[in-house]
Amino acid sequence: MSLCILKRWYEMPILRRLLEFKMYRKKLHSYNTTHTTFRHRWIKNLPIFSSRFRPIHSDATQTPKDAVDLSKFPVERIRNFSIIAHIDHGKSTLADRLLEITGAISTTAKNKQVLDKLQVERERGITVKAQTASLFYNHQGQQYLLNLIDTPGHVDFSYEVSRSISACQGVLLIVDANQGIQAQTVANFYLAFESQLTIIPVINKIDLKNADPERVEKQIEKVFDIPREECIRISAKLGTNVERVLQEVVSRIPPPTASRDEPFKALVFDSNFDHYRGVVANIAVCGGHVRKGDKIVSAYLGKSYDVNELGLLRPDEYPTDGLYAGQVGYIVAGMKDVKEAQIGDTLYHQHSPVESLPGFKPAKAMVFAGMYPMDQSDYTSLRSAIDRLTLNDSSVTVQRDSSVALGAGWRIGFLGLLHMEVFNQRLEQEYNASVIVTAPTVPYKAILSSAKLIKHHGSEEITIVNPAQFPDRSVVSEYLEPMVMGTILAPDTYTGRIMTLCLNRRAIQQNMVYIDDHRVMMKYLFPLNEIVVDFYDLLKSMSSGYASFDYENAGYQPANLVKMDILLNGQSVEELTTIVHKERAYIVGKALCERLKDSIPRQMFDIAVQAAIGSKVLARETIKAYKKNVLAKCYGGDITRKMKLLKRQAEGKKKMRLIGKVEVPKDAFINVLKRKD
Amino acid sequence: MTKMVTRALLTAAFAPSLHVRRCSSVIERSDLIQTVTEEFSGSKSVLNEASLYLHWPYCLRRCSYCNFNKYIPKSDNNAVMTACLQRETETLLRLSQVSSITSVFFGGGTPSLAHPSTIAAVLETVSRHAALSDEAEVTLEVNPTPVGKSKLEDYCQAGVNRFSIGVQSLQDEDLRILGRDHNSQQALQTIAEAQRLCPGRVSVDVMFGRPGQSLDRWESELSELLVLCDDHVSLYQLTLERGTQLFKQVQHGELTLPSDDVTAAMYASARRILHKHGFRQYEVSNFARRNAISLHNMRYWKGGQYLGVGPGAHGRFVPLGEGGVVREARTQTLEPDIWILEVQQRGHGTRRRIPLSHLGLLEEVLVMGLRMTEGITHQHWQLFSSDLDLHEIFGTSMDVQELLASRQLVLDDRGLRCSWKGLALLDSMLPTLLLDLETQVTQRQQRNHVANRQRGKTASPS
């Protein structure tokens, strides 16, 4: 009820401004930080005077740097929250505004995705790596410490999300006023909901011409069961109503349940590696306090460390003397290896051990792909690039692998497709590595029936990552494949087409809900294998980009799996062997044969390209023999050019791989194995 | 001793090494060079002779399929061009020091645009500096236009004794698409006139794989032509070259070329039809009746020396005149105006000289030799490779064994050659053969090198 009144107030612009002005003036007397906010408004209204006010402002922002005494922030005046949103719904823009309003960064047009530091994040408009920013905010005469823990938006990064969320008590759920609820909104909502966090729905981009906040509020009410009155309508881009978001953070989100009187206890929720200082761990202090020079112990390893440095992230590192219960910050304690700062680990004071915090389940790789250096001589440099990248991304699993066609490389496990793409892009952008990425596969399982094999593997159930390890039907009682629960949101005009697509991918519909008059939310249980390669692209293109898709893991289910061989004139091509569902074997086999046919040049004899299960051939393509291959004209002036061409072919021949009598260019398999771009 | 020194020189052929100087004091220099050159660039008989190619770069118009070096002349520079062709001919004759020119070929461009006096002047220059027998084959490429036809007699007077006529097609519509400036009737009239002047020494060029051409139409067209033509036919498949108008038309879908399978069938049926009409195939694209083969072209395929005169012309010869010992691949400056300027100012228009290594020369001999139906005879190979014969090179190769077993290739007492079906697939076999050749030649050179070093060591204390 009170919210309604507040809302009505805000609809009266003059009154609102007066009110705000008064409020800021009041703050001005008590706290320096509010200068920023004041200036911000002031400049907006009276741009001419801005230059005169700037010097005053810069003085003002200098002050708190030296003055911050975190002990002044009791738990009651701390709020830990994160922002979750579907891609492009404005999460990073809102974060930029919050940082500006609270003076963490200065107000310039250049502030775009301040928290997204990686090139890939800025290019794709996504957040990959969680960042933290501590904000000082005055509310009703009290200064609060608001810790904004920025989370990745995509469920592929849900391990990051859940880690971040574990340090929070509330979230801002951003929804685009035009696009409404999207698949990732749903997934993110459930993550927060299941963690029992306070959820504040924020409808962003109300300045857009096609904005329909009313409709979105109805969707939120219908899908998430949150009363529409609780939604805050904002424009992060213009700064409209952003101040209110901060007020609501303070008033709605509860403070962390931590006590300063307990012994020191902190959760490591993230870590980074710095070449000079070693591990920089992000911690949430759950009890007591920690100061520079303290001796702390990692519960996981039992090793003790000296605290060299600690402080807040604003979002840059901001050293302080101590961190207190309920606060979030970073700590440098001479850890040399990221493995020492196990994410989910508990830290405590050397002489007062505590019970460990629940921690996190290690993230499980769900999508595997081979990665090979484009040129084998780059193996070492690619290895070090992968090593360095995995330092900051513990969710990636790396296993050495080798292939006759591609040489030595790795089979790398990712949490999902986007995760894989981002990893690859970071390898290329940040480490300048050229990589061949094979088509992604998923981890299958087999329940063994042969006692001998069970003994050999030490368990009845085995996981199969590489098709070469696929055990024969005769020694297996059941094969299992990983499943995912997929959420698709789309305008209802596309429902028919989407249902057909899902059906073709062996998906089983779980439910279908209209979230408003025109938009449908569908849930399907998919075999993960069916969505790893091209499902999302197809979905996007068939819905003119309107459908959104997200998924979460849904365990394993029995599946009729077979190993399919690709044969060249009867000779099996080991690196193209695939595990496939029997129903889909023909389609997959046919496509593989076609791609291979296009990648192998014609030779002096016919080449049969076949897909086979055991001795049964499913699909066949024929590369017809050359009937004529000779240059028509070759006189005195043609020799030089002709020789050059032939020499190049002869050189190329040296690099051909022989399968039976068939000469296969090296890139033929790459073309077949590589994901289609 | 002589052998040893020669080896040392061979292995160090391109490194200007001390060996050379030290050795030259041991043996008479001219003898040495002679020996080295023979080992390196073919036997004495190869070195004394050359054929001569003259390039007339001008055309009246651009054929839609042609990316050859040709220019539409801006003004009449017949006289200047003539002078330059003569001057360059002299230069190259002097450089190569060949004693005889075995054949002359005027190609282009459209050499039948040149004045007959140009032809006469060039031939006269040749005769002044080298032996040019009356019997020597002198060919001129002719565009079968009425103008071309009317000049044939004068060309004969000038010394031409063989005509190669660019008929290309007997379908007027196709000639138009190809951008030719003649029609089929004019072509037939030109053939008749040329035959009257040089009976048995007239060749026709004909093209298959043309836009929209079908196998049936090709067969009947060829049969029709064979009744009317003389004793020599050159058969070319139209190849789509980048940068031509035809290329663009095909790219834009305005014209469609027959598929690979269809052109392969066209080639096969053409070989059959020509055979039926008494034409013996003697090279991939060349067929002759009554032994009317082109001697000039045979020299290319047999690895003979040739001088190339004119803008963009290629040559292969040992520049003995300036002390050279290895065969060089030479190219003349491409643009006519610049070529003319260079010849006038520097006395030569050679733009690029690339020395051919021993292996490089053998590669050319192999690639060109296998285009002939008679292939490479052992004697022919011996002229260029005195220490490695064909059996040594190819006899042990598994790949070659397979080609022999599948009867694509024949290696016997006569030499190495393609079978009837193998000839159509020559370019698929050549990379394999080139690799084998490289392996054997390199191994031999390494063995010789090691042997030389050891001999050198034992010799040094003395």
Side-chain angles (χ1 to χ4, degrees):
Chain A
M1 197 61 194
S2 62
L3 278 171
C4 290
I5 297 165
L6 205 67
K7 198 167 127 193
R8 241 170 258 145
W9 266 5
Y10 274 64
E11 278 159 9
M12 303 159 75
I14 301 163
L15 182 63
R16 188 179 68 190
R17 263 192 215 159
L18 274 174
L19 181 83
E20 284 181 345
F21 189 64
K22 239 162 92 185
M23 206 158 75
Y24 299 140
R25 272 246 317 245
K26 209 168 93 190
K27 283 178 201 162
L28 188 62
H29 295 295
S30 46
Y31 290 102
N32 293 320
T33 42
T34 46
H35 272 294
T36 325
T37 324
F38 180 68
R39 184 190 72 107
H40 182 55
R41 294 283 164 184
W42 194 251
I43 288 169
K44 272 219 158 135
N45 297 335
L46 295 162
I48 304 159
F49 298 116
S50 61
S51 59
R52 272 169 60 190
F53 280 81
R54 195 156 282 163
I56 302 170
H57 152 70
S58 64
D59 281 341
T61 45
Q62 288 300 307
T63 331
K65 183 157 187 169
D66 315 312
V68 163
D69 176 3
L70 290 179
S71 66
K72 282 197 334 206
F73 292 95
V75 173
E76 304 80 62
R77 279 194 277 123
I78 296 173
R79 299 291 182 271
N80 296 321
F81 71 104
S82 65
I83 310 176
I84 53 180
H86 188 80
I87 184 167
D88 280 342
H89 280 198
K91 184 180 66 151
S92 299
T93 313
L94 177 59
D96 290 348
R97 286 303 92 73
L98 295 179
L99 261 59
E100 284 170 12
I101 289 180
T102 57
I105 56 172
S106 59
T107 313
T108 74
K110 282 184 204 142
N111 289 336
K112 280 194 177 139
Q113 295 178 254
V114 170
L115 294 183
D116 291 340
K117 290 179 180 165
L118 303 175
Q119 187 184 351
V120 53
E121 294 181 317
R122 285 160 183 265
E123 277 176 14
R124 289 178 175 244
I126 57 171
T127 301
V128 173
K129 190 82 187 146
Q131 297 288 341
T132 302
S134 294
L135 317 171
F136 297 104
Y137 178 66
N138 280 291
H139 182 64
Q140 294 175 347
Q142 296 275 342
Q143 195 180 31
Y144 285 83
L145 179 64
L146 309 185
N147 296 309
L148 164 58
I149 297 162
D150 192 24
T151 62
H154 195 272
V155 178
D156 265 11
F157 302 103
S158 60
Y159 69 104
E160 288 271 353
V161 178
S162 52
R163 264 151 52 179
S164 307
I165 276 176
S166 68
C168 295
Q169 287 72 46
V171 296
L172 300 173
L173 179 67
I174 316 282
V175 188
D176 182 305
N178 175 24
Q179 291 187 12
I181 291 178
Q182 297 291 316
Q184 282 166 36
T185 322
V186 179
N188 283 321
F189 168 82
Y190 281 109
L191 269 176
F193 184 76
E194 282 157 13
S195 308
Q196 298 180 309
L197 303 187
T198 302
I199 297 165
I200 304 175
V202 175
I203 297 170
N204 188 21
K205 305 194 190 181
I206 56 166
D207 56 304
L208 289 184
K209 222 174 87 191
N210 296 326
D212 189 354
E214 210 124 320
R215 181 177 66 99
V216 178
E217 283 171 2
K218 277 187 205 156
Q219 288 180 353
I220 289 174
E221 194 168 68
K222 177 145 189 192
V223 180
F224 302 140
D225 208 15
I226 300 174
R228 66 184 70 175
E229 292 77 17
E230 291 185 21
C231 297
I232 310 173
R233 296 181 183 185
I234 67 159
S235 163
K237 192 172 140 206
L238 304 180
T240 318
N241 236 355
V242 174
E243 181 78 29
R244 197 181 141 215
V245 173
L246 286 172
Q247 293 163 6
E248 298 293 331
V249 165
V250 173
S251 60
R252 285 202 228 170
I253 296 175
T257 51
S259 164
R260 215 178 262 196
D261 306 327
E262 292 169 13
F264 168 64
K265 181 180 186 178
L267 173 75
V268 177
F269 68 90
D270 199 1
S271 69
N272 291 290
F273 189 78
D274 181 298
H275 276 281
Y276 302 102
R277 296 175 298 170
V279 175
V280 180
N282 289 9
I283 60 167
V285 182
C286 305
H289 66 269
V290 62
R291 284 203 183 87
K292 211 164 149 176
D294 284 358
K295 268 208 180 320
I296 57 164
V297 176
S298 139
Y300 179 74
L301 290 172
K303 271 178 90 169
S304 69
Y305 303 92
D306 288 323
V307 178
N308 302 329
E309 187 187 334
L310 47 66
L312 295 178
L313 294 156
R314 309 192 51 201
D316 297 324
E317 287 172 6
Y318 186 95
T320 59
D321 291 331
L323 284 171
Y324 297 84
Q327 295 172 359
V328 171
Y330 74 96
I331 190 164
V332 180
M335 295 175 177
K336 296 278 179 290
D337 189 335
V338 249
K339 291 188 184 93
E340 293 178 78
Q342 200 75 25
I343 287 161
D345 195 2
T346 307
L347 303 177
Y348 57 84
H349 265 145
Q350 196 173 26
H351 298 299
S352 42
V354 296
E355 199 181 317
S356 290
L357 294 157
F360 305 105
K361 265 191 267 172
K364 238 196 180 131
M366 288 311 285
V367 174
F368 288 83
M371 286 204 175
Y372 297 86
M374 200 70 94
D375 185 329
Q376 277 295 313
S377 60
D378 294 338
Y379 179 86
T380 323
S381 60
L382 183 57
R383 187 181 60 194
S384 79
I386 289 175
D387 281 350
R388 273 182 287 167
L389 202 47
T390 47
L391 271 184
N392 283 331
D393 190 349
S394 54
S395 57
V396 174
T397 64
V398 181
Q399 220 182 316
R400 265 211 283 182
D401 202 357
S402 73
S403 142
V404 192
L406 305 173
W410 303 267
R411 186 154 286 267
I412 303 190
F414 302 97
L415 299 160
L417 276 181
L418 182 70
H419 187 203
M420 179 175 103
E421 279 170 31
V422 166
F423 186 87
N424 190 22
Q425 198 175 338
R426 289 186 68 183
L427 265 184
E428 283 176 5
Q429 285 177 347
E430 293 167 38
Y431 297 94
N432 200 19
S434 17
V435 196
I436 297 161
V437 184
T438 67
T441 59
V442 303
Y444 294 104
K445 286 180 175 176
I447 310 290
L448 300 171
S449 59
S450 136
K452 200 176 145 203
L453 275 181
I454 293 170
K455 200 175 162 199
H456 175 77
H457 289 283
S459 68
E460 196 185 15
E461 185 184 281
I462 58 162
T463 302
I464 310 145
V465 171
N466 192 330
Q469 305 152 349
F470 192 75
D472 192 72
R473 176 96 257 177
S474 60
V475 296
V476 164
S477 61
E478 196 170 45
Y479 295 111
L480 302 170
E481 67 176 334
M483 306 297 289
V484 290
M485 184 61 73
T487 304
I488 300 168
L489 273 101
D492 59 358
T493 43
Y494 301 108
T495 314
R497 266 178 276 176
I498 291 172
M499 285 169 79
T500 313
L501 173 67
C502 293
L503 213 67
N504 288 338
R505 298 305 176 108
R506 300 191 285 130
I508 298 156
Q509 196 177 63
Q510 305 293 300
N511 67 38
M512 185 169 142
V513 187
Y514 270 86
I515 60 166
D516 62 25
D517 293 348
H518 299 294
R519 290 187 66 86
V520 180
M521 178 167 83
M522 289 173 272
K523 291 229 176 221
Y524 277 92
L525 188 64
F526 284 95
L528 175 59
N529 175 41
E530 297 290 340
I531 59 162
V532 289
V533 180
D534 54 356
F535 177 79
Y536 188 59
D537 294 337
L538 277 174
L539 182 71
K540 273 280 178 202
S541 64
M542 71 163 46
S543 65
S544 318
Y546 283 115
S548 65
F549 174 71
D550 212 333
Y551 65 89
E552 55 191 290
N553 296 330
Y556 276 77
Q557 271 191 5
N560 193 359
L561 300 176
V562 288
K563 182 163 91 167
M564 184 168 68
D565 291 311
I566 300 296
L567 312 173
L568 282 182
N569 275 356
Q571 292 255 346
S572 162
V573 184
E574 193 200 320
E575 46 272 67
L576 296 181
T577 301
T578 3
I579 299 170
V580 61
H581 193 272
K582 205 168 178 188
E583 272 175 35
R584 299 267 294 155
Y586 173 74
I587 293 168
V588 174
K590 181 94 187 148
L592 272 173
C593 289
E594 280 167 6
R595 283 169 80 175
L596 197 53
K597 181 190 175 182
D598 293 340
S599 315
I600 298 178
R602 297 171 73 172
Q603 300 185 13
M604 291 176 75
F605 42 83
D606 282 358
I607 303 166
V609 183
Q610 296 166 305
I613 295 172
S615 57
K616 193 178 160 222
V617 173
L618 298 179
R620 177 188 168 126
E621 292 286 325
T622 305
I623 302 167
K624 285 295 218 177
Y626 262 128
K627 286 191 184 136
K628 173 176 185 284
N629 181 27
V630 63
L631 192 71
K633 224 179 193 176
C634 198
Y635 301 110
D638 306 309
I639 302 176
T640 305
R641 193 161 83 141
K642 175 70 178 163
M643 289 308 299
K644 219 180 233 173
L645 188 76
L646 284 169
K647 293 290 281 177
R648 201 161 54 226
Q649 285 172 356
E651 278 309 303
K653 214 176 152 68
K654 285 185 193 165
K655 293 181 189 135
M656 294 272 191
R657 163 131 196 265
L658 265 185
I659 293 179
K661 275 167 61 186
V662 183
E663 283 178 351
V664 184
K666 264 208 164 147
D667 60 355
F669 291 147
I670 298 171
N671 288 340
V672 176
L673 291 172
K674 203 170 63 174
R675 293 174 322 102
K676 274 181 263 182
D677 291 321
Chain B
M1 189 58 189
T2 315
K3 196 75 179 170
M4 186 202 104
V5 174
T6 315
R7 290 266 179 253
L9 250 175
L10 273 177
T11 47
F14 295 111
S17 74
L18 291 170
H19 276 93
V20 182
R21 282 191 207 135
R22 206 177 64 203
C23 298
S24 58
S25 63
V26 180
I27 314 168
E28 196 70 20
R29 189 177 158 81
S30 61
D31 282 358
L32 172 74
I33 287 173
Q34 187 62 49
T35 325
V36 171
T37 312
E38 281 178 25
E39 288 237 5
F40 224 76
S41 305
S43 70
K44 206 173 219 160
S45 62
V46 175
L47 292 170
N48 287 338
E49 300 176 337
S51 48
L52 173 65
Y53 174 80
L54 287 127
H55 192 78
W56 186 264
Y58 302 116
C59 285
L60 280 182
R61 58 197 284 190
R62 219 171 275 273
C63 297
S64 72
Y65 56 90
C66 179
N67 73 339
F68 217 62
N69 187 36
K70 77 283 157 196
Y71 296 82
I72 314 301
K74 287 179 288 255
S75 57
D76 178 24
N77 47 4
N78 218 311
V80 177
M81 195 65 192
T82 306
C84 288
L85 287 174
Q86 284 178 288
R87 177 111 190 246
E88 183 66 23
T89 304
E90 277 175 29
T91 304
L92 294 185
L93 283 170
R94 202 166 42 238
L95 253 181
S96 66
Q97 296 201 340
V98 293
S99 54
S100 104
I101 288 294
T102 51
S103 61
V104 181
F105 194 102
F106 291 91
T110 310
S112 55
L113 291 177
H115 199 273
S117 64
T118 301
I119 309 297
V122 171
L123 291 175
E124 200 203 327
T125 304
V126 175
S127 316
R128 265 208 308 273
H129 294 84
L132 178 66
S133 132
D134 287 348
E135 250 81 284
E137 180 183 287
V138 179
T139 310
L140 178 84
E141 279 182 353
V142 178
N143 252 19
T145 56
V147 179
K149 183 191 145 209
S150 69
K151 287 156 84 180
L152 292 184
E153 189 149 10
D154 292 339
Y155 287 129
C156 275
Q157 291 295 323
V160 172
N161 56 23
R162 186 172 179 271
F163 290 110
S164 171
I165 302 173
V167 175
Q168 314 308 355
S169 167
L170 291 180
Q171 311 285 332
D172 286 341
E173 173 58 14
D174 287 11
L175 289 170
R176 199 188 55 75
I177 290 174
L178 296 174
R180 302 292 299 189
D181 50 5
H182 69 270
N183 61 35
S184 61
Q185 206 201 340
Q186 291 163 347
L188 295 177
Q189 285 165 353
T190 309
I191 294 172
E193 171 70 358
Q195 243 177 321
R196 184 182 71 78
L197 295 163
C198 304
R201 307 198 72 163
V202 177
S203 174
V204 294
D205 284 0
V206 59
M207 194 181 268
F208 68 96
R210 305 188 309 250
Q213 196 181 26
S214 73
L215 181 59
D216 287 355
R217 287 231 318 272
W218 163 239
E219 287 177 347
S220 52
E221 181 183 359
L222 181 64
S223 302
E224 187 188 339
L225 180 71
L226 292 185
V227 174
L228 301 163
C229 74
D230 197 50
D231 290 341
H232 192 278
V233 175
S234 293
L235 190 70
Y236 303 124
Q237 180 180 336
L238 173 62
T239 42
L240 201 54
E241 303 282 359
R242 277 182 177 282
T244 59
Q245 194 199 336
L246 188 68
F247 186 86
K248 268 180 239 151
Q249 289 169 314
V250 172
Q251 286 263 296
H252 295 157
E254 294 158 25
L255 293 173
T256 319
L257 293 183
S259 72
D260 287 354
D261 285 349
V262 173
T263 53
M266 285 176 172
Y267 182 62
S269 72
R271 291 173 83 187
R272 250 192 337 268
I273 293 167
L274 279 151
H275 182 75
K276 219 171 63 192
H277 283 77
F279 284 85
R280 188 179 75 82
Q281 181 173 23
Y282 65 101
E283 192 260 358
V284 171
S285 303
N286 286 278
F287 301 78
R289 221 167 19 188
R290 294 188 267 273
N291 209 26
I293 60 173
S294 161
L295 296 170
H296 181 86
N297 289 338
M298 278 300 266
R299 289 195 61 90
Y300 293 136
W301 302 317
K302 288 201 158 176
Q305 296 201 107
Y306 55 97
L307 315 179
V309 174
H314 288 245
R316 292 280 189 285
F317 63 89
V318 181
L320 289 174
E322 54 175 38
V325 292
V326 298
R327 184 182 283 201
E328 288 181 6
R330 287 172 161 249
T331 318
Q332 304 245 300
T333 296
L334 206 61
E335 303 84 352
D337 292 348
I338 303 171
W339 179 83
I340 286 170
L341 220 65
E342 286 177 356
V343 174
Q344 284 172 339
Q345 291 174 356
R346 302 190 312 203
H348 78 85
T350 295
R351 176 56 65 95
R352 212 166 45 137
R353 301 168 50 180
I354 298 168
L356 284 177
S357 64
H358 183 55
L359 175 63
L361 175 62
L362 292 184
E363 284 172 341
E364 291 196 356
V365 170
L366 178 74
V367 166
M368 298 304 272
L370 286 178
R371 291 183 65 87
M372 297 179 291
T373 49
E374 67 172 60
I376 303 162
T377 63
H378 292 297
Q379 295 89 314
H380 172 193
W381 187 254
Q382 176 78 31
L383 290 176
F384 300 94
S385 174
S386 55
D387 59 348
L388 264 177
D389 67 30
L390 291 169
H391 282 294
E392 286 173 292
I393 294 167
F394 300 112
T396 52
S397 157
M398 291 301 291
D399 289 332
V400 172
Q401 288 305 319
E402 263 182 41
L403 294 172
L404 296 175
S406 60
R407 295 178 196 285
Q408 314 269 8
L409 204 62
V410 181
L411 175 61
D412 60 11
D413 293 347
R414 264 165 62 200
L416 182 70
R417 63 190 173 277
C418 294
S419 68
W420 168 270
K421 60 178 175 177
L423 192 64
L425 294 168
L426 176 60
D427 287 358
S428 289
M429 297 192 280
L430 284 174
T432 306
L433 300 175
L434 285 171
L435 283 179
D436 290 334
L437 177 65
E438 188 188 347
T439 311
Q440 294 297 331
V441 170
T442 326
Q443 275 178 10
R444 176 58 60 99
Q445 280 174 353
Q446 277 165 355
R447 271 206 303 275
N448 290 340
H449 189 64
V450 171
N452 282 334
R453 282 226 316 247
Q454 282 170 351
R455 256 178 281 179
K457 267 183 202 161
T458 50
S460 62
S462 57

